[in-house]
């Protein structure tokens, strides 16, 4: 982390959406199109620990003790990361904030940098469809090619189209009951954030159940408007 300051004009976007809504896919597409930097809490923590920053050392000690990293440490790590030169074109926050308290702390951090949340985009999904989408996923154990019980079966039953492998993996938590529980938890957790960013006039909801490229087009239009 080089300590250079990001410009006041650097936009900050937040992607809100439950597991499986496509946040990661869409964030990567926005990175490629606009030169924005995707920042996820997990990646930030791992990078700070590896770099041995002051905040990273604090986070490492907390994690090694088996405890949750505090909001204060996460904000400190984010503050350091936003000062890096590659964030000058703007960032996409994925998975942070998760609570109203974190959202308020983020507002304070950005205000100190002369920045703000340009858009908080909520990827809106149909819960029942999401249960079907996620609970049917599995992958080839050999090459990682993805399949789905309903939407993408191998052309030859039991044989991977890509590598010819016959062993497949299915995540233990990709079952209907667990997915439904995760969606309920997400909605309960995110409701205060929806209210928070709606009050700021920064909330934008888009239908995330359609084609990936169509969703990307909607997000691109939002980014162009937010960064104009």
């Amino acid at each position: 982390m080089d300590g250079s300051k990001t410009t006041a004009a650097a936009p900050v976007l937040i992607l809100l959406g439950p597991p499986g809504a496509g946040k990661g896919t869409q964030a990567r597409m926005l990175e490629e199109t606009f030169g924005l930097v995707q920042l996820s809490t997990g990646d930030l923590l791992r990078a700070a620990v590896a770099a041995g920053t002051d905040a990273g050392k604090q986070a490492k000690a907390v994690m090694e003790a088996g405890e949750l990293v505090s909001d204060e440490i996460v904000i400190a790590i984010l503050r350091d990361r936003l000062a890096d030169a590659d964030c000058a074109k703007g960032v996409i926050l994925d998975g942070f904030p998760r609570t109203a308290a974190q959202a308020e702390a983020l507002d304070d951090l950005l205000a100190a940098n002369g920045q703000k949340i340009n858009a908080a985009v909520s990827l809106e999904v149909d819960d029942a469809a999401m249960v079907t989408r996620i609970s049917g996923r599995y992958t080839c154990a050999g090459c990682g090619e993805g399949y789905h019980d309903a939407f993408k079966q191998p052309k030859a039953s039991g044989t991977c189209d890509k590598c010819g492998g016959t062993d497949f993996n299915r995540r233990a938590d990709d079952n209907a009951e667990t997915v439904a529980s995760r969606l309920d938890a997400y909605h309960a957790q995110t409701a205060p954030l929806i209210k928070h960013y709606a009050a700021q006039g920064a909330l934008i909801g888009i239908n995330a159940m359609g084609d990936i490229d169509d969703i990307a087009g909607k997000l691109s239009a939002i980014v162009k408007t937010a960064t104009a």
Side-chain angles (χ1 to χ4, degrees), residues 47-97:
V49 169
T53 65
D54 289 342
K57 292 175 181 176
Q58 294 178 48
K60 182 179 180 181
V62 171
M63 290 188 290
E64 288 180 346
E67 300 174 359
L68 293 176
V69 178
S70 68
D71 291 350
E72 290 77 13
I73 294 175
V74 174
I75 285 290
I77 290 174
L78 181 57
R79 180 185 298 110
D80 289 344
R81 186 66 180 90
L82 289 174
D84 284 349
D86 63 337
C87 292
K89 289 186 177 180
V91 300
I92 308 164
L93 296 178
D94 175 7
F96 186 88

Side-chain angles (χ1 to χ4, degrees), residues 1-227:
M1 299 185 180
D2 63 13
S4 62
K5 289 293 182 181
T6 186
T7 65
V12 179
L13 296 98
I14 295 174
L15 287 185
L16 301 170
K23 297 189 299 297
T25 297
Q26 293 299 332
R28 286 190 292 273
M29 295 173 76
L30 290 175
E31 281 186 304
E32 294 175 2
T33 302
F34 297 98
L36 304 176
V37 176
Q38 179 189 10
L39 301 179
S40 70
T41 305
D43 290 343
L44 285 170
L45 288 170
R46 284 187 288 272
V49 169
T53 65
D54 289 342
K57 292 175 181 176
Q58 294 178 48
K60 182 179 180 181
V62 171
M63 290 188 290
E64 288 180 346
E67 300 174 359
L68 293 176
V69 178
S70 68
D71 291 350
E72 290 77 13
I73 294 175
V74 174
I75 285 290
I77 290 174
L78 181 57
R79 180 185 298 110
D80 289 344
R81 186 66 180 90
L82 289 174
D84 284 349
D86 63 337
C87 292
K89 289 186 177 180
V91 300
I92 308 164
L93 296 178
D94 175 7
F96 186 88
R98 293 182 183 273
T99 66
Q102 289 177 350
E104 291 171 1
L106 177 60
D107 288 344
D108 291 341
L109 168 60
L110 294 177
N113 284 351
Q115 295 172 280
K116 65 178 182 178
I117 301 299
N118 296 76
V121 183
S122 176
L123 301 181
E124 298 173 350
V125 300
D126 176 85
D127 281 8
M130 287 299 294
V131 170
T132 300
R133 178 191 290 184
I134 298 175
S135 62
R137 299 185 302 191
Y138 61 100
T139 59
C140 172
C143 68
E145 181 71 5
Y147 295 96
H148 194 281
D149 293 331
F151 308 128
K152 185 187 175 184
Q153 290 274 6
K155 295 176 182 177
S157 180
T159 303
C160 177
D161 299 338
K162 188 173 181 180
C163 73
T166 56
D167 292 328
F168 297 87
N169 293 328
R170 191 184 298 269
R171 282 179 47 169
D173 59 350
D174 277 356
N175 61 75
E177 182 178 349
T178 301
V179 173
S181 178
R182 285 159 61 192
L183 286 168
D184 287 342
Y186 168 79
H187 291 307
Q189 181 183 61
T190 307
L193 295 181
I194 297 294
K195 183 178 180 180
H196 181 86
Y197 290 117
Q200 291 185 359
L203 183 70
I204 302 172
I206 65 171
N207 185 339
M209 294 303 298
D211 179 78
I212 290 175
D213 289 333
D214 289 341
I215 297 168
K218 294 175 183 177
L219 280 169
S220 292
I222 291 170
V223 173
K224 289 177 181 177
T225 299
T227 58

